[in-house]
Amino acid sequence: MYKHYGWEVSPYSVKTRAYLRYKQLPFEDLSPTMAKLAGTIRKKVGRMVMPTVELPDGRWLQDTSVIIDYFEGVRPDPPVAPAGPVGRYLAYLFECFADEWLPLSAMYYRWTEPETVAFIREQFGQGCLPGAPRMLRDPLAKRMMAQMSGYLPVLGIDERTADGIAAMTGELLNLMEAHFGDHLFVQGSRPSLADFSLLGPIQGHLYGDPGSRHLFDSRPRVIEWIDRCYFPSGNEGEFFGDDEIPDSCVALGAFCTRELGPYIRDLNAMAAEWIEANKGAPRLPRSLGSMRFEVAGYQGERKSLTFSLWMAQRIADARNESPAAVDAWLSERGIPEIDVHLPRRLEFRDNYVWLA
Ligand SMILES: N[C@@H](CCC(=O)N[C@@H](CS)C(=O)NCC(=O)O)C(=O)O
């Protein structure tokens, strides 16, 4: 039996929980207390973080992509990435977009809606110290709330970008609403990595939090998709073949590329410069400093997180399996490819991005 540690209000935990359910893997879904997070989890994976998975042989996995890659290895069927090169490229594009770009929406709405902040104080408190009196829970909840809301400036969420984040979120949900008029999941009639990844911030924050649930009032098909993904009823269905990807899915891919692509391109340039200036360094720092960025055309400033580049390398790897086919498909639709050009390959372990 595998042990999955994550809260309902943690988006990355929603991603792995939905994935493990869909794959029908035998797992115990556990809510880690503060003692567990600060004790065993910090000791085993190096930081207080969720989700984590404890394997029956005593090893621990962290990072949703590492967790999913591991289980795709031990239980490949049904696979969560399509077989065709374009389908694979899109699966990793949607994953990177959801993991590295959608925190803008998730964190913005969570920490600016008073109704949600009150809800989260309760959720964090009950998560840290279940059943304890409020006077003991609240200080722990507040400390964790301060830590999490401290990510707003890291991600560039402020008055300069707020309207852009709201516009980007609305556009994404509209594209999804249109797509789900004809299709059950993002990449066909069965869920892929794209669905689990998008579900994380959409269920874990935007729909689950009371202050942002109104975003779904006019998007009922997205609500139905949330239910299908989070409570899977079977694993039948098909992915779109590469030659039958519908316009509504192409539109989602173009949108994710428009938003995420420039951030990855600029990060890549900063990392290339840093590697050149730091020859012999075994790993990249977590951040390469501040950088300008744009969300839905609104300019802001954020930290350049090298982890995002490791995630983008997954998209590049998918493209490099069949670059000619992927590039031809993208260029026919006017979508630029997301690529990572660095002199060294990136590896993620022990919470750092290493230069192979
Ligand atoms: N990229 C990681 C991110 C995990 C993550 O950031 N989890 C959040 C909760 S949803 C967390 O524990 N954050 C604590 C922190 O960063 O200090 C993944 O895919 O697992």
Side-chain angles (χ1 to χ4, degrees), residues 239-254:
F239 293 130
F240 304 131
D242 277 1
D243 50 1
E244 55 186 23
I245 297 171
D247 289 349
S248 56
C249 181
V250 176
L252 272 166

Side-chain angles (χ1 to χ4, degrees), residues 224-243:
E224 287 165 15
W225 165 81
I226 291 172
D227 287 340
R228 278 196 295 279
C229 287
Y230 211 22
F231 303 101
S233 58
N235 50 25
E236 57 286 343
E238 295 301 329
F239 293 130
F240 304 131
D242 277 1
D243 50 1

Side-chain angles (χ1 to χ4, degrees), residues 10-12 47-51 62-65 99 147-148 151 307:
S10 147
Y12 294 103
R47 61 190 269 236
M48 280 173 50
V49 66
M50 58 186 90
Q62 204 291 307
D63 196 83
T64 54
S65 302
D99 281 22
Q147 187 188 331
M148 297 312 291
Y151 282 114
F307 179 80

